[in-house]
Amino acid sequence: SQQGEEDPQALSIQEGENATMNCSYKTSINNLQWYRQNSGRGLVHLILIRSNEREKHSGRLRVTLDTSKKSSSLLITASRAADTASYFCATGGWGGADGLTFGKGTHLIIQP
Amino acid sequence: DAGVIQSPRHEVTEMGQEVTLRCKLISGHNSLFWYRQTMMRGLELLIYFNNNVPIDDSGMPEDRFSAKMPNASFSTLKIQPSEPRDSAVYFCASSLSREQPQHFGDGTRLSIL
């Protein structure tokens, strides 16, 4: 069963705009991760936020976590055509050692 | 720096045939995960290993599916006999330790006719 549910399922924006994707989950977590998947490729880890953190930044990425609402958001600022991909949130045990449960993803299209 | 390597990239076979998917972990990683991705069910964890030992195989759909780690750097996922509903993209991923992200291969696209 899916732990995370991303919203929206698809998002199309113009290059240079910001993209925001949301994720909701059902059970208690130790951390939440975001991954990107380009068409025909495997997933690539973007960022991990721990349950005691509320916000984390990495380059053009900003992730927030609200454990009271069981939700997270991923913000990509100043989007580029190369950001076109599917984005997944994932929950698991201690990050790398336990299997991850993924949402169904947000398909992001950046229009040049 | 070689990533996780999966083979074959594509496999088309008839139902009832045995299928073997292969995965080479990143050197030094000690956790190995097999996932399956379909449009209907998304990404599902099938099984994972720590230090060559299977830890959780509750995601393996049926006894037709089996996974092994004959050594620390290699794993196989076998389906015997295969069925059309097994058609999916199968990913393996490895990680160095807890608190480290999982590194995915590019998957095997499996089609069972």
Side-chain angles (χ1 to χ4, degrees):
Chain A
S1 63
Q2 296 294 324
Q3 164 74 311
E5 293 291 336
E6 285 88 347
D7 166 49
Q9 291 188 345
L11 180 62
S12 180
I13 62 174
Q14 294 294 317
E15 194 167 21
E17 294 180 339
N18 295 341
T20 299
M21 289 158 274
N22 303 297
C23 165
S24 61
Y25 56 92
K26 298 175 183 174
T27 63
S28 297
I29 61 170
N30 293 316
N31 62 71
L32 185 142
Q33 304 180 50
W34 285 89
Y35 283 77
R36 183 189 75 226
Q37 184 180 30
N38 290 90
S39 181
R41 303 297 300 273
L43 281 76
V44 175
H45 181 263
L46 295 176
I47 194 165
L48 180 150
I49 186 166
R50 293 182 173 81
S51 60
N52 62 353
E53 297 176 308
R54 291 295 169 260
E55 187 171 312
K56 199 164 183 179
H57 296 255
S58 176
R60 294 184 296 111
L61 304 180
R62 172 176 169 258
V63 170
T64 62
L65 180 64
D66 186 336
T67 53
S68 67
K69 295 181 180 178
K70 290 186 168 59
S71 67
S72 174
S73 68
L74 172 67
L75 169 65
I76 303 173
T77 61
S79 63
R80 305 167 182 170
D83 294 329
T84 294
S86 292
Y87 292 81
F88 297 87
C89 66
T91 57
W94 287 98
D98 294 344
L100 297 174
T101 301
F102 288 89
K104 290 198 171 180
T106 292
H107 185 51
L108 176 64
I109 297 172
I110 309 299
Q111 307 278 3
Chain B
D1 181 19
V4 173
I5 299 172
Q6 292 188 244
S7 65
R9 288 296 316 275
H10 304 272
E11 173 97 11
V12 180
T13 191
E14 293 185 349
M15 65 177 294
Q17 298 296 309
E18 178 179 291
V19 173
T20 300
L21 311 181
R22 297 174 174 81
C23 175
K24 185 176 186 301
L25 285 69
I26 293 174
S27 178
H29 283 195
N30 58 17
S31 295
L32 182 280
F33 308 83
W34 282 100
Y35 294 91
R36 179 171 69 176
Q37 186 176 37
T38 61
M39 288 293 293
M40 289 295 295
R41 298 176 67 87
L43 271 157
E44 302 173 282
L45 175 69
L46 299 178
I47 185 171
Y48 76 92
F49 296 79
N50 274 350
N51 297 313
N52 301 6
V53 177
I55 302 300
D56 182 0
D57 65 354
S58 59
M60 297 286 261
E62 298 173 31
D63 291 345
R64 299 184 294 106
F65 286 69
S66 62
K68 294 182 179 179
M69 282 198 74
N71 58 57
S73 61
F74 185 73
S75 178
T76 59
L77 177 68
K78 191 170 290 187
I79 308 172
Q80 167 63 21
S82 58
E83 297 182 3
R85 58 193 169 123
D86 302 331
S87 298
V89 182
Y90 290 80
F91 290 100
C92 73
S94 69
S95 67
L96 181 61
S97 66
R98 288 183 167 190
E99 299 296 323
Q100 296 297 316
Q102 295 184 18
H103 297 259
F104 282 73
D106 281 336
T108 295
R109 182 172 295 275
L110 177 64
S111 297
I112 308 297
L113 306 178

